[in-house]
Amino acid sequence: MKAKTWYKMHTILGVFGATFLLVLGITGSLLVYGIELQALIDPNPISAETNRLSFDELYKRFLTQTPEGSVAGWLKSDLENQPDQIWFHDKTMNDTERVYLLNPYTGKVAGTLKDDRSDSLYGFLLVLHYSLFLGGVGYFITGCFAFIYLLLAISGIRLYRNFWKSLFRLRFKESFRMMFSDIHKFIGINFIWFHLILAITGGWWSLRDTVILEFPEEKLVYGLWSENNSIDRLIDETKKQIPGFSIGYIAFPHHSKTDPIGFYGNRIHSSSFESRYGSFIQYDTKTNRIMRMVDISKASIADQILDSFRPLHFGTFANHISKIIWVFCGLSPAVLAISGLCIFYSKFKDKKKRTQKLVSSSLH
């Protein structure tokens, strides 16, 4: 393919995807420390105490404060001053699902959120980032834009294959177009590794969840987990099967009588590139028999690579060092969108002037 064709493709895709890149860059950058930002603006922060109550005790106390219904999921907070989040289907409100905020030290409900948590800062940023508030359709659209993002990165590499000649060139004293052109090349070239990571990981998740995986129609069934069953006993069993296991999320059965209860997390001393929920065990709710088990450290190379997408996408693999880098790098798609549009506008304006001059000269 000729360079001119690559350039046209890069321009068309860039103009078409500029708004998405702007939204992706800003929301993605904020989401790196989204949970911490949510904690800062929380009007009712939790006072961290020495020890959390057991899951069994928390479950019993939670049920005394909620209407008749069913627990669907339980997200354990990784911050000591933040509540756990419990997804709950309210049987008395036409199966309405809400997220209850539970104080892990007292067992008291601290508040509620919508099922997608979009009425919190973190939830709002997350939903906007991955679905543009358009539900499943929006998730598919963002996946398409991730593919466009990947094509932009590839076409950029092709267009500036001799990148080392202008790797650090920034001519601010030149023309408006030249300045934005240098900024565009500087950000595009120096952060190409980052653009490829975001496009590949984000695109894969959207492709997997909207095209590859099939999700049957959800049907709620209540009473599949009894408070007489022990959550803590199954967590202890999980720790025996996966040494060093740290619980992150519990998926409760609520669709059919054959649904298992699942415990998702990672090992305390796991690799930096293991995701927070990469290892898990699912148990039969009646017999406590293990139905499925995945220790990601013993999984196939392909599964470990796919599991690493989460820490790579969110920049959590080196704690605050990588997160700070990801905050600044996360703004690069937004800078590319703005600089690219400025270049396009400048060229469009110059072309319009040339056309007007030709028309004017032909009339005279």
Side-chain angles (χ1 to χ4, degrees):
M1 195 183 296
K2 294 181 179 180
K4 190 174 182 180
T5 305
W6 279 105
Y7 182 80
K8 284 184 177 180
M9 182 181 76
H10 191 81
T11 302
I12 293 170
L13 292 176
V15 172
F16 183 68
T19 302
F20 166 76
L21 290 177
L22 189 63
V23 173
L24 177 147
I26 295 172
T27 57
S29 185
L30 291 172
L31 279 169
V32 173
Y33 276 104
I35 296 176
E36 289 82 357
L37 287 173
Q38 183 65 51
L40 283 175
I41 66 170
D42 192 341
N44 299 305
I46 288 175
S47 298
E49 299 180 18
T50 306
N51 295 310
R52 293 169 51 98
L53 294 176
S54 68
F55 278 95
D56 289 336
E57 182 61 28
L58 286 171
Y59 187 81
K60 289 177 181 177
R61 295 190 185 189
F62 174 73
L63 292 182
T64 63
Q65 303 169 73
T66 55
E68 184 180 2
S70 178
V71 174
W74 188 326
L75 181 67
K76 176 181 175 289
S77 174
D78 287 330
L79 298 180
E80 293 181 350
N81 65 340
Q82 287 293 290
D84 288 1
Q85 298 178 18
I86 300 178
W87 277 258
F88 183 82
H89 290 281
D90 189 341
K91 193 175 182 179
T92 65
M93 295 285 290
N94 298 319
D95 302 330
T96 300
E97 184 178 27
R98 292 194 66 82
V99 177
Y100 281 83
L101 307 177
L102 187 70
N103 187 320
Y105 305 104
T106 65
K108 291 183 179 180
V109 171
T112 60
L113 298 171
K114 294 179 181 178
D115 61 336
D116 62 2
R117 300 176 293 175
S118 60
D119 46 349
S120 67
L121 174 63
Y122 177 78
F124 176 84
L125 292 172
L126 188 64
V127 176
L128 180 60
H129 187 76
Y130 77 80
S131 73
L132 307 174
F133 283 95
L134 296 174
V137 175
Y139 195 22
F140 177 75
I141 290 173
T142 57
C144 293
F145 276 118
F147 180 66
I148 290 173
Y149 189 18
L150 180 60
L151 288 178
L152 283 169
I154 294 171
S155 59
I157 293 171
R158 174 62 180 80
L159 286 170
Y160 306 113
R161 57 186 183 276
N162 297 324
F163 62 89
W164 58 86
K165 294 180 180 179
S166 58
L167 190 61
F168 300 107
R169 185 175 64 186
L170 288 171
R171 293 167 290 183
F172 291 110
K173 294 182 180 180
E174 301 291 335
S175 66
F176 174 85
R177 187 199 301 178
M178 193 71 71
M179 179 186 71
F180 278 107
S181 178
D182 283 350
I183 291 173
H184 196 78
K185 292 175 186 176
F186 180 84
I187 297 295
I189 293 169
N190 287 287
F191 297 98
I192 189 64
W193 55 273
F194 182 77
H195 305 314
L196 290 172
I197 287 174
L198 288 192
I200 292 171
T201 55
W204 163 251
W205 287 333
S206 181
L207 178 68
R208 178 196 64 186
D209 294 343
T210 59
V211 178
I212 299 175
L213 296 181
E214 293 184 3
F215 296 95
E217 185 178 350
E218 292 190 351
K219 181 173 129 182
L220 285 175
V221 179
Y222 292 94
L224 297 178
W225 180 261
S226 170
E227 62 180 289
N228 295 323
N229 297 334
S230 176
I231 299 171
D232 291 302
R233 187 166 65 245
L234 291 179
I235 291 176
D236 289 339
E237 178 61 28
T238 303
K239 290 178 179 179
K240 291 178 183 177
Q241 298 293 332
I242 305 176
F245 180 82
S246 173
I247 186 68
Y249 181 79
I250 305 171
F252 288 84
H254 58 286
H255 290 312
S256 74
K257 293 182 179 179
T258 59
D259 274 359
I261 181 171
F263 296 87
Y264 298 78
N266 63 344
R267 295 174 297 119
I268 294 174
H269 301 295
S270 63
S271 163
S272 299
F273 293 98
E274 286 185 20
S275 76
R276 182 67 181 92
Y277 313 103
S279 297
F280 65 89
I281 296 183
Q282 296 176 340
Y283 296 92
D284 184 288
T285 57
K286 294 181 180 178
T287 65
N288 291 343
R289 178 178 60 86
I290 295 177
M291 297 178 65
R292 188 184 177 197
M293 170 177 163
V294 172
D295 181 346
I296 199 64
S297 65
K298 299 177 182 177
S300 66
I301 297 297
D303 286 339
Q304 289 187 32
I305 290 174
L306 292 177
D307 182 66
S308 71
F309 279 13
R310 186 179 181 87
L312 281 172
H313 192 86
F314 292 104
T316 58
F317 55 88
N319 294 319
H320 291 296
I321 295 175
S322 58
K323 289 177 74 172
I324 291 171
I325 293 172
W326 251 238
V327 167
F328 289 102
C329 289
L331 292 173
S332 61
V335 175
L336 287 174
I338 294 170
S339 59
L341 286 175
C342 288
I343 295 168
F344 177 78
Y345 173 74
S346 177
K347 288 187 175 183
F348 175 78
K349 192 175 178 181
D350 289 347
K351 185 178 180 181
K352 189 176 179 180
K353 285 182 179 179
R354 287 196 302 269
T355 303
Q356 289 174 345
K357 284 183 179 179
L358 286 173
V359 172
S360 179
S361 61
S362 65
L363 291 174
H364 295 287

